[in-house]
Amino acid sequence: MNVDDISQVTVLGAGNMGHGITEVVAIAGYDVVMRDIEQDLVDDGFESIKWSVEKLSEKGIVSEDAETVLDRIDTEVDLETAVSDADLVIEAAPEQMEIKKDIFSDLDEFTPEDAILASNTSSLSITEIATATSRPEQVVGMHFFNPPVKMDLVEVIYGAETADETAEATYEFVESIDKTPIYVRKDVNGFVVNSVLGPFSDEAAWMVSEGVADIEAVDAAMVHRRGYPMGPFELSDLTGIDIGYHVRKEAGRDIPPIVQEKVDAEDLGQKTGRGYYDYEDGGGTTYE
Ligand code: 3HC
């Protein structure tokens, strides 16, 4: 598959990453199907895209009117229907290997034989996901960052059997949606960015768990003194505390007590209305 042959894209998952990726792909002019397992999830994802595209269009950041962009998006629940014409599938399902393998096994069955099968996994092995298919040379990592519409970088990750042709077409596709790709040439846990962010986030969580400093103090230190756009706790609330939890588990790292506490309480960040900070009733971060 060559990048010029990609016209129909399917995104699997309508959560934060799935709807964000769908939006970016549609803004770039591709026809895209967004699929999730329940109609409510797909509808919620579509509403989030609508809110975002309308805002970006009003501000002139997106040059077309919102309707034109939204018209390129179809929503679907049935997997076979969603992927049967896809040139490129970007999977953004929950971070559990069994779920990913089931999906890739279905993709092997239902997608056109030359389709590129990409995973947006942040921590799972591309090589292992690819074993669920009979075409591991067409399986690649395509890792976006949250929120996809605002974050420029996309990691293009080689699994052990990914063909150069697949990785190159994926890289060029990322450029075509106005993002900046980098190749990750080895399928290491966390790839490049999460390998660096992991210890940063762990250190912050252990410090708070051990009473060294408060959440607000750590976030304020990193934002006001280090110049980061967000502190580690604010960032976890944005990306989802459960995502960081699964990444740590997958990497065999110990879970800091404060993280375990939030996961047990199902306070997972902005998406549940509460995480390290309380977002209900218009709330948000409390550091100054
Ligand atoms: N669509 C449209 N508009 C949006 C929007 C969206 N998705 N998100 C925010 N906006 C709007 C806001 O509503 C606001 O509009 P207003 O001025 O009219 O009120 C405007 O954009 C500015 O918003 P903010 O002041 O909140 O935010 P900034 O634009 O300054 O930056 C940010 C937001 C890009 C998220 C920045 O804080 C940032 O870079 N944070 C770090 C994010 C990061 O590191 N992400 C990577 C996480 S790791 C990851 O994803 C890996 C995974 O594997 C876990």
Side-chain angles (χ1 to χ4, degrees):
M1 174 76 65
N2 188 293
V3 69
D4 299 329
D5 301 323
I6 300 176
S7 62
Q8 181 64 56
V9 179
T10 297
V11 177
L12 299 179
N16 272 344
M17 296 308 290
H19 74 65
I21 296 168
T22 302
E23 178 182 357
V24 168
V25 173
I27 289 171
Y30 290 94
D31 289 325
V32 50
V33 178
M34 177 174 70
R35 182 263 177 183
D36 211 316
I37 53 173
E38 284 172 21
Q39 193 60 44
D40 283 358
L41 298 174
V42 169
D43 292 344
D44 287 352
F46 190 81
E47 277 310 304
S48 301
I49 296 174
K50 188 162 179 286
W51 172 85
S52 176
V53 173
E54 281 172 356
K55 199 153 188 167
L56 297 173
S57 181
E58 270 164 29
K59 289 180 178 171
I61 297 168
V62 166
S63 57
E64 296 178 304
D65 61 73
E67 275 313 307
T68 308
V69 175
L70 295 172
D71 278 350
R72 294 195 197 103
I73 302 172
D74 280 330
T75 56
E76 186 53 70
V77 171
D78 181 64
L79 181 67
E80 182 172 357
T81 312
V83 301
S84 57
D85 288 327
D87 304 308
L88 167 67
V89 178
I90 307 169
E91 167 275 315
E95 281 291 273
Q96 287 166 39
M97 184 55 88
E98 285 322 304
I99 295 178
K100 307 262 190 205
K101 280 187 165 175
D102 283 349
I103 290 174
F104 274 73
S105 164
D106 288 341
L107 293 181
D108 199 27
E109 191 176 340
F110 299 137
T111 55
E113 62 179 16
D114 58 348
I116 293 179
L117 310 181
S119 175
N120 177 58
T121 180
S122 41
S123 61
L124 301 174
S125 160
I126 303 300
T127 308
E128 189 175 344
I129 292 172
T131 61
T133 75
S134 60
R135 35 176 150 161
E137 65 287 352
Q138 288 163 232
V139 178
V140 66
M142 195 182 191
H143 183 213
F144 289 78
F145 295 86
N146 195 356
V149 79
K150 291 224 168 194
M151 301 299 288
D152 186 41
L153 178 70
V154 178
E155 294 176 317
V156 174
I157 304 120
Y158 275 81
E161 297 195 52
T162 308
D164 283 337
E165 187 191 340
T166 303
E168 282 161 15
T170 306
Y171 189 100
E172 287 168 20
F173 174 80
V174 171
E175 290 179 318
S176 80
I177 57 171
D178 215 18
K179 299 284 174 195
T180 302
I182 60 158
Y183 282 124
V184 181
R185 298 188 185 278
K186 284 192 182 171
D187 186 15
V188 296
N189 185 273
F191 316 130
V192 171
V193 173
N194 282 338
S195 294
V196 176
L197 271 184
F200 167 72
S201 169
D202 271 358
E203 195 56 38
W206 280 109
M207 269 197 300
V208 169
S209 298
E210 289 165 1
V212 176
D214 296 338
I215 286 172
E216 290 84 353
V218 176
D219 275 354
M222 299 318 289
V223 171
H224 298 308
R225 296 292 163 235
R226 289 292 306 144
Y228 285 24
M230 285 182 165
F233 294 101
E234 186 183 4
L235 183 59
S236 293
D237 276 355
L238 173 75
T239 54
I241 296 171
D242 53 327
I243 304 286
Y245 177 83
H246 286 302
V247 169
R248 287 180 176 94
K249 282 266 180 206
E250 200 58 37
R253 305 204 306 265
D254 290 339
I255 306 292
I258 182 115
V259 176
Q260 189 68 55
E261 209 177 281
K262 295 293 170 189
V263 170
D264 290 346
E266 295 183 21
D267 288 339
L268 304 178
Q270 289 186 18
K271 63 185 171 188
T272 59
R274 196 190 281 262
Y276 294 114
Y277 297 96
D278 188 351
Y279 300 90
E280 280 158 354
D281 303 325
T285 54
T286 49
Y287 67 87
E288 292 179 358

